[in-house]
Amino acid sequence: MPLPYHERTCYCAEVGEDHVGQTVLITGWVQNRRDHGGMVFIDVRDRTGLVQLKFNPDRDPRSHEIAGRLRAEYCVAVRGEVAARPEGLVNPNLASGAVEIEVHEIDILSESATPPFDIADDTEANEELRLKYRYLDLRRPVLQRSLITRHRIVRAIREHFDREGFIEIETPILTKSTPEGARDYLVPSRVHPGRFYALPQSPQIFKQLLMISGFDKYVQIARCFRDEDLRADRQPEFTQLDMEMSFVQAENVFDVIERCMAHVMKQIHGVDIPRPFPRVAFDRAMNEYGTDAPDTRYDMKLIDVSAAAKKSEFRVFADALAAGGVVRAMRVPGGATMTRKETDRLADDLRGIGAGGLPLVKVAQDDDSRIAFQTGVAKFFTPETTAEIAGATGAGEGDLLFFAAGAPADVCKHLSWLRTVVARKRDLIPKNEWHFLWIVDVPMFEWNADEKRWDSMHHPFTAPRDEDVPLLDSDPGRVLSQGYDLVLNGTELGSGSVRIHRADVQRKIFGLLNITPEQQQLRFGFLLDALRYGPPPHGGIALGLDRIMMLLTGLDSLRDTLSFPKTAKAQDLMTEAPSPVDEKQLRELALKSTAATEATPT
RNA sequence: GGGGCCGUAGCUCAAUUGGCUAGAGCAUCGGACUGUCGAUCCGAAGGUUGCGGGUUCGAAUCCCGUCGGCCUCGCCA
């Protein structure tokens, strides 16, 4: 009689001292075999953890014989009696370590080929291999925990929004291409040869239409697609916590989201997050941190030292300032201990992202215990300028100052990169702190010099601040929007805005973005039409769920938050997608490849 | 599209200035072993050095190209 594996009594890690003397039936995979010829020990794993099986040839020769045939990752069902382990043989590393199962019956449900890598958290197999065998990688406890945590986060989010009276509504995956922003993933239509659907970059327009429909509070855990180059924190398909509300201003959105994040943090980490989150003006974030997603867990703010730098003899500073640029400094507390090798390495990496070099000084004291600069560009500063810069930056003995000179945007890019890298390297980032903040007062537009037009900073449906509406005609560059970003520990979780709910303002914005009335009608005609029928004021936000996951679980890669992720070249190494297709399929879709190398189906 | 790192046994890594039969640990296979928990001990098998070309008496090593992985800048409204 085969074991009734469908009558499992408990999970592996649940077997404990309460069960001693009871018969249990467990199922799982063979983690490890320790065969003493006589006594055999097998660890069995399921998604809860491990339990040790004991096979005694004197007690049960038949099971013992099967135990000898077991290999890693065999799938088994086991029935036996739970026994307390003898004195001194308890394994404190196992949840079930106080007990073991004396096996009476065991079935091999299926055998396993030798796995290409060890199924263990500390496996050293490289990611390429693990992605190819993702189903095995997902047996590793660390990834199982990750996906289970993801489930709990999503559940907490749904709990919150349900309690708040939000309606979860699904929006189309096959939709209309609106060639703005990111590249679309296109899907050819068979029924309409030569026409294409696009996969949504976000449900943005649909959720606005739902507001016009009167749904008032919308939420969706929405899959989104963008055909752009990838990063550790970017995948071609990703999930957004997408929400929208009617009859609200930004503060209402902040309030709902802050309480949502607080609820999630409480559920996942048991911590209370202080509310309200700080509101940081875009301008201030750029000045103090050089980025619109500042990590405020540590200091090292950027300080403008243009005035003092002007008096130095250093050509790089002089040239930058003459060209209308700025000079900023960043103080690294205790940074004077950094070696030449370390700072050279930083300079090299910095050159890799477009910087000319890395001016720096180390801070010491002279004989009169006055601040003195050493090494690097120290020789270009008089004692007076030294004192001025030291005063502005708060530099003291043992510190190090990095400088950057040039156009403000470049200086911000280089110093904020440096700030993050140095903070990480020197372990200046406090652990277990959660710094949420809102970036507000974001400019409406940025000037696109190539195309000679304004671009939306957020997206073209973002409303300008009411008081700035007159500036739309006179000075668009100074218009601030009602857009906002949510930032956690230096990562942008997402952004949103109060939307334009008037067709005339929407048309004016499209005009500034150089979208002709014809193009407006072609791309967004349905939205402009809808805005004619009594649209409510509305606003919302979309947060990257995968990034939330990454930050909350301390993972370094977005891939580890997903069940079946893609590589940096957007390939799935397991399924080998994307793949060539049959000529017949292409014909049906009225498609013909122009690819230089002929891809053939495999 | 640009920059950086990487690719040697199933896995993780070695291999001196270019030089002898490309080694080790783990895994695998065989044997021994009745309290292990990374079991231990003995033995065996395991290689187109990602792929293609070049330089050389001789290439894992040097050069060119290419494929793939990771990080990153651009890009991602």
Side-chain angles (χ1 to χ4, degrees):
Chain A
M1 273 288 283
L3 277 174
Y5 51 79
H6 58 291
E7 291 172 8
R8 174 173 58 193
T9 59
C10 57
Y11 284 106
C12 292
E14 289 170 357
V15 182
E17 285 166 297
D18 295 348
H19 294 88
V20 170
Q22 294 178 20
T23 293
V24 295
L25 194 155
I26 61 142
T27 57
W29 288 265
V30 173
Q31 178 72 42
N32 193 8
R33 181 173 62 114
R34 295 177 293 278
D35 187 342
H36 290 254
M39 201 78 89
V40 174
F41 299 96
I42 304 278
D43 293 333
V44 175
R45 182 195 70 243
D46 61 23
R47 66 177 164 94
T48 63
L50 300 176
V51 66
Q52 173 167 282
L53 310 182
K54 184 176 78 173
F55 296 86
N56 190 330
D58 305 330
R59 304 271 298 265
D60 192 319
R62 189 170 157 272
S63 296
H64 180 263
E65 184 275 321
I66 294 172
R69 302 206 313 260
L70 294 178
R71 296 294 182 272
E73 301 308 314
Y74 277 30
C75 184
V76 294
V78 171
R79 185 148 60 192
E81 188 179 321
V82 178
R85 294 200 193 184
E87 187 100 15
L89 294 172
V90 167
N91 185 344
N93 301 317
L94 254 51
S96 65
V99 297
E100 58 195 356
I101 299 175
E102 292 179 358
V103 177
H104 300 147
E105 289 173 87
I106 177 164
D107 278 352
I108 296 174
L109 301 177
S110 65
E111 299 184 349
S112 169
T114 302
F117 54 86
D118 282 348
I119 310 301
D121 279 352
D122 59 357
T123 189
E124 285 167 327
N126 71 45
E127 192 169 12
E128 195 174 350
L129 187 79
R130 292 194 285 112
L131 285 174
K132 183 176 175 188
Y133 298 95
R134 184 61 167 179
Y135 43 88
L136 295 181
D137 203 21
L138 288 173
R139 285 183 182 174
R140 293 165 59 225
V142 63
L143 284 184
Q144 300 224 327
R145 273 197 302 277
S146 171
L147 294 188
I148 291 166
T149 302
R150 188 180 176 113
H151 157 77
R152 292 174 57 220
I153 290 174
V154 171
R155 189 183 58 187
I157 288 170
R158 288 205 160 106
E159 271 167 11
H160 171 78
F161 281 98
D162 182 56
R163 267 203 313 255
E164 301 278 330
F166 280 72
I167 316 286
E168 185 164 356
I169 302 175
E170 291 173 271
T171 51
I173 294 294
L174 293 176
T175 177
K176 182 183 170 74
S177 174
T178 55
E180 292 282 312
R183 269 185 289 270
D184 284 322
Y185 277 100
L186 293 178
V187 180
S189 163
R190 174 182 57 83
V191 184
H192 301 278
R195 294 197 189 188
F196 297 84
Y197 301 96
L199 306 183
Q201 294 179 25
S202 80
Q204 180 61 35
I205 297 181
F206 286 108
K207 69 177 174 179
Q208 290 192 239
L209 293 169
L210 287 169
M211 292 302 104
I212 294 173
S213 301
F215 280 100
D216 168 1
K217 292 177 181 174
Y218 145 91
V219 70
Q220 182 179 193
I221 306 292
R223 194 64 70 88
C224 306
F225 308 84
R226 292 178 192 176
D227 186 5
E228 294 293 344
D229 289 341
L230 308 181
R231 287 281 197 293
D233 60 353
R234 277 190 231 157
Q235 282 274 303
E237 54 180 309
F238 59 99
T239 305
Q240 283 187 345
L241 159 56
D242 192 46
M243 65 86 94
E244 194 80 6
M245 307 168 75
S246 291
F247 312 110
V248 293
Q249 301 204 325
E251 287 298 328
N252 302 91
V253 176
F254 292 174
D255 181 54
V256 171
I257 292 294
E258 288 181 3
R259 282 184 290 111
C260 175
M261 294 315 299
H263 178 60
V264 170
M265 291 304 294
K266 186 76 179 175
Q267 293 291 307
I268 302 302
H269 286 302
V271 296
D272 291 302
I273 298 298
R275 288 183 289 122
F277 300 167
R279 316 286 151 87
V280 180
F282 177 85
D283 200 41
R284 202 186 113 205
M286 294 306 289
N287 283 328
E288 293 185 356
Y289 300 96
T291 169
D292 59 357
D295 192 338
T296 57
R297 287 175 299 172
Y298 55 99
D299 198 38
M300 292 208 293
K301 292 197 182 85
L302 316 186
I303 311 285
D304 191 287
V305 292
S306 300
K310 205 168 205 163
K311 297 174 213 154
S312 84
E313 306 277 303
F314 190 35
R315 276 289 297 277
V316 172
F317 288 176
D319 292 351
L321 291 167
V326 296
V327 180
R328 288 188 190 162
M330 186 182 78
R331 180 177 72 96
V332 182
T337 58
M338 291 178 86
T339 61
R340 178 64 190 260
K341 199 174 159 188
E342 283 178 281
T343 57
D344 279 354
R345 181 67 209 271
L346 286 172
D348 276 347
D349 290 347
L350 211 45
R351 269 185 282 271
I353 66 168
L358 179 54
L360 62 88
V361 296
K362 291 182 178 178
V363 185
Q365 287 189 351
D366 66 13
D367 299 337
D368 303 324
S369 60
R370 277 181 312 200
I371 293 294
F373 288 166
Q374 294 178 342
T375 74
V377 297
K379 64 183 172 189
F380 296 112
F381 299 106
T382 62
E384 290 71 36
T385 351
T386 299
E388 193 176 339
I389 292 175
T393 55
E397 189 180 10
D399 291 346
L400 178 145
L401 292 177
F402 286 120
F403 297 93
D410 292 331
V411 169
C412 282
K413 178 175 146 189
H414 300 147
L415 282 183
S416 68
W417 178 88
L418 206 55
R419 182 173 178 269
T420 313
V421 170
V422 170
R424 263 188 218 140
K425 275 210 170 99
R426 297 186 63 79
D427 209 18
L428 299 172
I429 307 176
K431 303 273 181 290
N432 300 317
E433 285 193 17
W434 308 95
H435 285 217
F436 287 92
L437 59 88
W438 294 102
I439 296 291
V440 296
D441 296 337
V442 182
M444 270 295 270
F445 307 107
E446 56 189 342
W447 182 246
N448 183 331
D450 295 339
E451 307 274 335
K452 298 219 178 345
R453 62 172 161 88
W454 295 101
D455 277 346
S456 289
M457 202 88 154
H458 180 37
H459 59 52
F461 317 111
T462 302
R465 296 199 307 184
D466 294 336
E467 61 268 41
D468 290 352
V469 169
L471 287 171
L472 286 174
D473 295 314
S474 56
D475 192 356
R478 278 181 51 212
V479 178
L480 296 185
S481 76
Q482 299 192 54
Y484 34 81
D485 293 346
L486 179 61
V487 174
L488 169 58
N489 292 352
T491 297
E492 183 196 307
L493 290 185
S495 56
S497 62
V498 171
R499 325 296 182 185
I500 299 166
H501 70 281
R502 280 170 40 189
D504 58 333
V505 179
Q506 186 65 73
R507 283 191 187 280
K508 176 170 272 182
I509 300 295
F510 281 147
L512 279 166
L513 298 173
N514 237 2
I515 305 176
T516 66
E518 294 73 36
Q519 288 170 325
Q520 292 173 28
Q521 203 54 42
L522 213 61
R523 292 184 200 170
F524 308 111
F526 57 101
L527 176 66
L528 290 167
D529 279 349
L531 287 174
R532 293 166 56 224
Y533 296 96
H538 60 285
I541 195 167
L543 303 180
L545 185 74
D546 318 280
R547 283 192 187 173
I548 292 175
M549 253 300 284
M550 210 168 120
L551 289 169
L552 262 55
T553 56
L555 295 168
D556 295 321
S557 168
L558 206 65
R559 293 182 293 279
D560 290 341
T561 73
L562 300 168
S563 52
F564 298 99
K566 294 181 178 60
T567 67
K569 286 203 173 128
Q571 296 195 81
D572 179 340
L573 296 181
M574 185 186 68
T575 64
E576 296 184 315
S579 56
V581 294
D582 285 337
E583 188 59 35
K584 179 167 175 267
Q585 281 177 287
L586 289 177
R587 267 202 309 278
E588 260 187 342
L589 297 166
L591 293 179
K592 197 174 168 105
S593 174
T594 63
T597 50
E598 205 57 42
T600 37
T602 46

